[in-house]
Amino acid sequence: MRIRIATPADAEAVRVIYAPYVEATAISFEVDMPSTAEMAARITDRYPAYPWLVAEGGDGGVAGYAYASRFAPRAAYAWSVETSVYLAGAARRQGIGRALYTALLTILSAQGYRRAFAGTTLPNAASIGFHEAMEFAPAGVYRDVGWKLGAWHDVSWLQLSLGSSDGDPQPPLPYTDLPAGTVAAALAAGTAMLGSR
């Protein structure tokens, strides 16, 4: 298994992983499942400002994915990102999420982003525990902010420092503009966490 940059060719595999979260849970607040073409567009639209990674098995199948996106549209938020990770049902509790996030957060930090945020629909002890294990800290809760599956849902926000707040920040770099080997090293570090899975 390896961690690599996603391509539009991964869109259908990503869609298959994402579908149960949309159709049967409030983990995602989407209510209509995006098409394969929409998933491909989401991968390419973030490129190269925000990484989208997949965990690929030896058989070429995708076991999970993680990505970043802009936290909010206004200019002062340019150094903050929102992160997400989704795993296939059979891929949970195998360290794949941690490997994906390790690579993703390493790349984001190298790009010059300063804060990562993750929103988790409550209750979701597994996601909260995962993010806390990745050193995210509680940032607050939006109460009754989303209506899905016949109920109102709270969203807990967690945040992680990716870099210092000292001085005037330079604009974050596209990950394609990072020094040679930076992205490859981050992907390799994530892959190494997967061992022989």
Side-chain angles (χ1 to χ4, degrees), residues 80-146:
S80 295
V81 296
E82 183 177 348
T83 58
S84 297
V85 60
Y86 291 94
L87 301 176
R92 294 180 192 146
R93 302 200 177 276
Q94 297 181 37
I96 296 170
R98 178 180 285 272
L100 282 162
Y101 249 34
T102 295
L104 179 69
L105 296 168
T106 300
I107 295 169
L108 292 168
S109 179
Q111 288 178 261
Y113 292 109
R114 301 299 179 92
R115 300 290 175 270
F117 293 86
T120 297
T121 307
L122 298 176
N124 190 335
S127 181
I128 297 292
F130 167 76
H131 282 92
E132 289 179 344
M134 296 299 300
E135 300 186 2
F136 280 70
V141 176
Y142 292 173
R143 304 288 181 191
D144 292 338
V145 70

Coordinates of all heavy atoms in Angstrom, one line a residue, residues 80-146:
S80 N -5.3 29.4 6.4 CA -6.0 28.3 7.1 C -6.7 27.4 6.1 O -7.2 27.8 5.1 CB -7.1 29.0 8.0 OG -6.5 29.7 9.0
V81 N -6.7 26.1 6.5 CA -7.2 25.1 5.6 C -8.2 24.2 6.4 O -8.1 24.1 7.7 CB -6.2 24.2 5.0 CG1 -5.3 25.0 4.0 CG2 -5.3 23.5 6.0
E82 N -9.1 23.6 5.7 CA -10.0 22.6 6.3 C -9.5 21.3 5.8 O -9.3 21.1 4.6 CB -11.5 22.8 6.0 CG -12.4 21.8 6.6 CD -13.9 22.1 6.3 OE1 -14.2 23.2 5.8 OE2 -14.7 21.2 6.6
T83 N -9.4 20.3 6.6 CA -9.0 18.9 6.2 C -10.1 17.9 6.5 O -10.9 18.0 7.4 CB -7.7 18.5 7.0 OG1 -8.0 18.5 8.4 CG2 -6.5 19.5 6.7
S84 N -10.0 16.9 5.6 CA -11.0 15.8 5.7 C -10.3 14.5 5.4 O -9.4 14.5 4.5 CB -12.2 16.0 4.8 OG -12.9 17.2 5.1
V85 N -10.8 13.4 5.9 CA -10.3 12.1 5.6 C -11.5 11.1 5.6 O -12.4 11.2 6.4 CB -9.2 11.6 6.6 CG1 -9.7 11.5 8.0 CG2 -8.6 10.3 6.1
Y86 N -11.5 10.2 4.6 CA -12.6 9.2 4.5 C -11.9 7.9 4.1 O -11.0 7.8 3.3 CB -13.6 9.6 3.4 CG -14.4 10.8 3.7 CD1 -14.1 12.1 3.3 CD2 -15.6 10.6 4.5 CE1 -14.8 13.2 3.6 CE2 -16.4 11.7 4.8 CZ -16.0 13.0 4.4 OH -16.8 14.1 4.7
L87 N -12.4 6.8 4.8 CA -11.9 5.5 4.6 C -13.0 4.5 4.1 O -14.1 4.7 4.6 CB -11.2 5.0 5.8 CG -10.1 5.8 6.4 CD1 -9.7 5.2 7.8 CD2 -8.9 5.9 5.5
A88 N -12.6 3.6 3.3 CA -13.5 2.5 3.0 C -13.8 1.7 4.3 O -12.9 1.6 5.2 CB -12.9 1.5 2.0
G89 N -15.0 1.1 4.4 CA -15.3 0.4 5.7 C -14.3 -0.6 6.1 O -14.0 -0.7 7.3
A90 N -13.8 -1.4 5.2 CA -12.8 -2.4 5.5 C -11.4 -1.9 5.9 O -10.6 -2.6 6.4 CB -12.7 -3.4 4.4
A91 N -11.2 -0.6 5.6 CA -9.9 0.0 5.8 C -9.8 0.7 7.2 O -8.7 1.2 7.5 CB -9.6 1.0 4.7
R92 N -10.9 0.7 7.9 CA -10.8 1.5 9.2 C -10.0 0.7 10.2 O -9.9 -0.5 10.2 CB -12.3 1.7 9.7 CG -13.1 2.6 8.8 CD -14.5 2.8 9.3 NE -15.3 3.4 8.3 CZ -16.6 3.2 8.1 NH1 -17.2 2.3 8.9 NH2 -17.2 3.8 7.2
R93 N -9.4 1.5 11.2 CA -8.6 1.0 12.3 C -7.4 0.2 11.9 O -7.0 -0.8 12.5 CB -9.5 0.2 13.2 CG -10.7 1.0 13.8 CD -11.3 0.4 15.0 NE -12.4 1.2 15.6 CZ -12.2 2.3 16.3 NH1 -11.0 2.7 16.7 NH2 -13.2 3.0 16.8
Q94 N -6.8 0.6 10.8 CA -5.6 0.0 10.3 C -4.4 1.0 10.2 O -3.4 0.6 9.6 CB -5.8 -0.7 8.9 CG -6.9 -1.8 9.0 CD -7.1 -2.5 7.6 OE1 -6.1 -2.6 6.8 NE2 -8.3 -2.8 7.3
G95 N -4.7 2.2 10.6 CA -3.6 3.2 10.5 C -3.6 3.9 9.2 O -2.7 4.8 9.0
I96 N -4.5 3.7 8.3 CA -4.5 4.3 7.0 C -4.9 5.8 7.1 O -4.3 6.6 6.5 CB -5.5 3.6 6.1 CG1 -5.0 2.1 5.9 CG2 -5.6 4.3 4.7 CD1 -6.0 1.2 5.1
G97 N -5.9 6.1 8.0 CA -6.2 7.5 8.2 C -5.0 8.3 8.7 O -4.7 9.4 8.3
R98 N -4.3 7.8 9.7 CA -3.2 8.4 10.3 C -2.1 8.6 9.2 O -1.5 9.7 9.2 CB -2.6 7.6 11.5 CG -1.4 8.2 12.1 CD -0.9 7.3 13.3 NE -1.8 7.5 14.4 CZ -1.6 8.4 15.4 NH1 -0.6 9.3 15.3 NH2 -2.4 8.5 16.4
A99 N -1.9 7.6 8.4 CA -0.8 7.7 7.3 C -1.2 8.8 6.3 O -0.4 9.6 5.9 CB -0.7 6.4 6.7
L100 N -2.5 8.9 5.9 CA -2.9 9.9 5.0 C -2.8 11.3 5.6 O -2.3 12.2 5.0 CB -4.4 9.6 4.6 CG -4.7 8.5 3.6 CD1 -6.1 8.1 3.6 CD2 -4.3 9.0 2.2
Y101 N -3.2 11.4 6.8 CA -3.1 12.8 7.5 C -1.7 13.2 7.7 O -1.4 14.4 7.6 CB -3.9 12.7 8.8 CG -5.2 13.6 8.8 CD1 -6.0 13.7 7.7 CD2 -5.6 14.2 10.0 CE1 -7.1 14.4 7.7 CE2 -6.8 15.0 10.0 CZ -7.5 15.1 8.9 OH -8.7 15.8 8.9
T102 N -0.8 12.3 8.1 CA 0.6 12.6 8.3 C 1.2 13.2 7.0 O 1.8 14.2 7.1 CB 1.4 11.4 8.8 OG1 0.9 10.9 10.0 CG2 2.8 11.7 8.9
A103 N 0.9 12.5 5.9 CA 1.5 13.1 4.6 C 0.8 14.4 4.3 O 1.5 15.3 3.9 CB 1.2 12.0 3.5
L104 N -0.5 14.5 4.4 CA -1.2 15.7 4.1 C -0.8 16.9 4.9 O -0.5 17.9 4.4 CB -2.7 15.5 4.3 CG -3.7 16.7 4.0 CD1 -3.7 16.9 2.5 CD2 -5.1 16.4 4.5
L105 N -0.7 16.7 6.2 CA -0.3 17.8 7.1 C 1.1 18.2 6.9 O 1.4 19.4 7.0 CB -0.6 17.4 8.6 CG -2.1 17.2 8.9 CD1 -2.2 16.5 10.3 CD2 -2.9 18.4 8.8
T106 N 2.0 17.3 6.6 CA 3.4 17.6 6.3 C 3.5 18.5 5.1 O 4.2 19.5 5.0 CB 4.2 16.3 6.1 OG1 4.1 15.6 7.3 CG2 5.7 16.7 5.8
I107 N 2.7 18.2 4.0 CA 2.8 19.0 2.8 C 2.2 20.3 3.1 O 2.8 21.4 2.6 CB 2.0 18.2 1.7 CG1 2.7 16.9 1.3 CG2 1.9 19.2 0.4 CD1 1.9 16.0 0.4
L108 N 1.1 20.4 3.8 CA 0.4 21.7 4.0 C 1.4 22.6 4.8 O 1.5 23.8 4.5 CB -0.9 21.5 4.8 CG -2.0 20.8 4.0 CD1 -3.1 20.4 5.0 CD2 -2.5 21.8 3.0
S109 N 2.1 22.1 5.8 CA 3.0 22.9 6.6 C 4.1 23.4 5.7 O 4.5 24.6 5.8 CB 3.6 22.0 7.7 OG 4.5 22.7 8.5
A110 N 4.6 22.5 4.8 CA 5.7 22.9 3.9 C 5.3 24.0 3.0 O 6.0 24.9 2.6 CB 6.3 21.7 3.1
Q111 N 4.0 24.0 2.6 CA 3.4 25.0 1.7 C 3.3 26.4 2.4 O 3.2 27.4 1.7 CB 2.1 24.6 1.2 CG 2.0 23.5 0.2 CD 0.6 23.1 -0.1 OE1 0.0 22.2 0.4 NE2 0.0 23.9 -1.1
G112 N 3.3 26.4 3.7 CA 3.2 27.7 4.4 C 1.9 28.0 5.1 O 1.6 29.0 5.6
Y113 N 1.0 27.0 5.0 CA -0.3 27.1 5.8 C 0.0 27.1 7.3 O 0.9 26.4 7.7 CB -1.3 26.0 5.4 CG -1.7 26.2 4.0 CD1 -1.3 25.3 3.0 CD2 -2.6 27.2 3.6 CE1 -1.7 25.4 1.7 CE2 -3.0 27.3 2.3 CZ -2.6 26.4 1.3 OH -3.0 26.6 0.0
R114 N -0.8 27.8 8.0 CA -0.5 28.0 9.5 C -1.5 27.2 10.4 O -1.1 26.9 11.5 CB -0.5 29.5 9.8 CG 0.5 30.4 9.1 CD 1.9 29.9 9.3 NE 2.9 30.7 8.6 CZ 3.5 31.8 9.1 NH1 3.2 32.3 10.3 NH2 4.3 32.5 8.3
R115 N -2.7 27.1 9.9 CA -3.7 26.4 10.8 C -4.5 25.4 9.9 O -4.9 25.7 8.8 CB -4.7 27.4 11.4 CG -4.0 28.4 12.3 CD -3.5 27.8 13.6 NE -2.8 28.8 14.4 CZ -1.5 29.1 14.3 NH1 -0.7 28.4 13.4 NH2 -0.9 30.0 15.0
A116 N -4.8 24.2 10.5 CA -5.7 23.3 9.9 C -6.9 23.1 10.8 O -6.7 23.0 12.0 CB -5.0 21.9 9.7
F117 N -8.1 23.0 10.2 CA -9.3 22.9 11.0 C -10.0 21.6 10.4 O -10.0 21.3 9.2 CB -10.2 24.1 10.8 CG -9.7 25.3 11.4 CD1 -8.8 26.1 10.8 CD2 -10.0 25.7 12.7 CE1 -8.3 27.3 11.4 CE2 -9.5 26.8 13.3 CZ -8.6 27.6 12.7
A118 N -10.7 20.9 11.3 CA -11.5 19.8 10.9 C -12.8 19.9 11.7 O -12.9 20.1 12.9 CB -10.8 18.5 11.3
G119 N -13.9 19.7 10.9 CA -15.3 19.7 11.5 C -15.8 18.3 11.6 O -15.7 17.5 10.6
T120 N -16.3 17.9 12.7 CA -16.8 16.6 13.0 C -18.3 16.6 13.5 O -18.5 17.2 14.5 CB -15.9 15.9 14.0 OG1 -14.6 15.7 13.5 CG2 -16.5 14.5 14.3
T121 N -19.2 16.0 12.8 CA -20.6 15.9 13.2 C -20.6 15.1 14.5 O -20.0 14.0 14.6 CB -21.4 15.3 12.1 OG1 -21.3 16.0 10.9 CG2 -22.9 15.3 12.5
L122 N -21.3 15.6 15.5 CA -21.5 14.9 16.7 C -22.8 14.1 16.8 O -23.8 14.5 16.2 CB -21.4 15.9 17.9 CG -20.1 16.7 18.0 CD1 -20.2 17.8 19.1 CD2 -18.9 15.8 18.2
P123 N -22.8 13.0 17.5 CA -21.6 12.3 18.2 C -20.7 11.5 17.2 O -21.3 10.9 16.3 CB -22.2 11.4 19.2 CG -23.5 11.0 18.6 CD -24.0 12.2 17.8
N124 N -19.4 11.6 17.4 CA -18.5 10.8 16.6 C -17.2 10.6 17.3 O -16.2 11.3 17.1 CB -18.3 11.5 15.2 CG -17.5 10.5 14.2 OD1 -16.8 9.6 14.7 ND2 -17.7 10.8 13.0
A125 N -17.2 9.8 18.3 CA -16.1 9.6 19.2 C -14.9 9.1 18.4 O -13.7 9.5 18.8 CB -16.4 8.6 20.3
A126 N -15.1 8.3 17.4 CA -13.9 7.8 16.6 C -13.2 9.0 15.9 O -12.0 9.1 16.0 CB -14.4 6.8 15.6
S127 N -13.9 9.9 15.3 CA -13.3 11.0 14.6 C -12.7 12.0 15.6 O -11.5 12.5 15.4 CB -14.3 11.8 13.8 OG -13.7 12.8 13.1
I128 N -13.3 12.3 16.7 CA -12.7 13.2 17.7 C -11.5 12.6 18.2 O -10.4 13.2 18.3 CB -13.7 13.4 18.8 CG1 -15.0 14.2 18.3 CG2 -13.1 14.2 20.0 CD1 -14.8 15.6 17.9
G129 N -11.5 11.3 18.6 CA -10.3 10.6 19.1 C -9.2 10.6 18.1 O -8.0 10.8 18.4
F130 N -9.5 10.4 16.8 CA -8.5 10.4 15.7 C -7.8 11.7 15.6 O -6.6 11.8 15.6 CB -9.2 10.0 14.4 CG -8.3 10.3 13.2 CD1 -7.2 9.4 12.9 CD2 -8.5 11.4 12.4 CE1 -6.4 9.7 11.8 CE2 -7.7 11.6 11.3 CZ -6.6 10.8 11.0
H131 N -8.6 12.8 15.6 CA -8.1 14.1 15.4 C -7.2 14.5 16.7 O -6.2 15.1 16.5 CB -9.2 15.2 15.1 CG -9.6 15.1 13.7 ND1 -10.7 14.3 13.3 CD2 -9.1 15.7 12.6 CE1 -10.8 14.5 12.0 NE2 -9.9 15.3 11.5
E132 N -7.7 14.2 17.8 CA -6.9 14.5 19.0 C -5.6 13.7 19.0 O -4.6 14.2 19.4 CB -7.7 14.2 20.3 CG -8.9 15.2 20.5 CD -9.7 14.9 21.7 OE1 -9.7 13.8 22.2 OE2 -10.5 15.8 22.1
A133 N -5.6 12.4 18.5 CA -4.4 11.7 18.4 C -3.4 12.3 17.4 O -2.2 12.2 17.5 CB -4.7 10.2 18.0
M134 N -4.0 13.0 16.4 CA -3.2 13.8 15.5 C -2.8 15.2 16.0 O -2.3 16.0 15.2 CB -3.9 13.9 14.1 CG -4.2 12.6 13.4 SD -2.7 11.6 13.0 CE -1.8 12.7 11.9
E135 N -3.1 15.4 17.3 CA -2.7 16.7 18.0 C -3.6 17.9 17.6 O -3.2 19.0 17.9 CB -1.2 17.0 17.8 CG -0.4 15.8 18.4 CD 1.1 16.2 18.4 OE1 1.5 17.3 18.0 OE2 1.9 15.3 18.8
F136 N -4.8 17.6 17.1 CA -5.7 18.7 16.9 C -6.3 19.0 18.3 O -6.5 18.1 19.1 CB -6.9 18.3 16.0 CG -6.6 18.3 14.5 CD1 -5.7 17.5 13.9 CD2 -7.2 19.3 13.7 CE1 -5.4 17.5 12.6 CE2 -7.0 19.4 12.4 CZ -6.0 18.5 11.8
A137 N -6.7 20.2 18.6 CA -7.2 20.6 19.8 C -8.7 21.2 19.6 O -8.9 21.8 18.6 CB -6.4 21.7 20.5
P138 N -9.5 21.0 20.6 CA -10.9 21.5 20.4 C -10.9 23.1 20.2 O -10.1 23.8 20.8 CB -11.6 21.2 21.8 CG -10.8 20.1 22.3 CD -9.4 20.3 21.9
A139 N -11.7 23.5 19.2 CA -11.8 24.9 18.9 C -13.2 25.5 19.2 O -13.4 26.7 19.2 CB -11.4 25.2 17.5
G140 N -14.2 24.6 19.4 CA -15.6 25.0 19.6 C -16.6 24.1 19.0 O -16.2 23.2 18.2
V141 N -17.9 24.3 19.3 CA -18.9 23.5 18.7 C -20.0 24.4 18.2 O -20.4 25.4 18.8 CB -19.6 22.6 19.8 CG1 -20.8 21.8 19.3 CG2 -18.5 21.6 20.4
Y142 N -20.4 24.1 16.9 CA -21.6 24.8 16.3 C -22.8 23.9 16.7 O -22.9 22.8 16.4 CB -21.5 24.9 14.8 CG -20.4 25.8 14.3 CD1 -20.1 25.8 12.9 CD2 -19.6 26.6 15.1 CE1 -19.1 26.6 12.4 CE2 -18.7 27.4 14.6 CZ -18.4 27.4 13.2 OH -17.4 28.2 12.7
R143 N -23.7 24.5 17.4 CA -24.9 23.8 17.9 C -26.0 23.8 16.9 O -26.4 24.8 16.3 CB -25.4 24.4 19.2 CG -24.4 24.5 20.3 CD -24.0 23.2 20.9 NE -23.1 23.3 22.0 CZ -22.4 22.2 22.5 NH1 -22.7 21.0 22.1 NH2 -21.6 22.4 23.5
D144 N -26.6 22.6 16.7 CA -27.8 22.4 15.8 C -27.6 23.2 14.5 O -28.5 23.8 14.0 CB -29.0 23.0 16.5 CG -29.5 22.1 17.7 OD1 -29.1 20.9 17.7 OD2 -30.2 22.6 18.5
V145 N -26.4 22.9 13.9 CA -26.1 23.7 12.7 C -26.5 23.0 11.4 O -26.6 23.7 10.3 CB -24.5 24.0 12.7 CG1 -23.7 22.8 12.5 CG2 -24.2 25.1 11.7
G146 N -26.7 21.7 11.4 CA -27.1 21.0 10.2 C -28.3 20.1 10.4 O -28.4 19.4 11.4

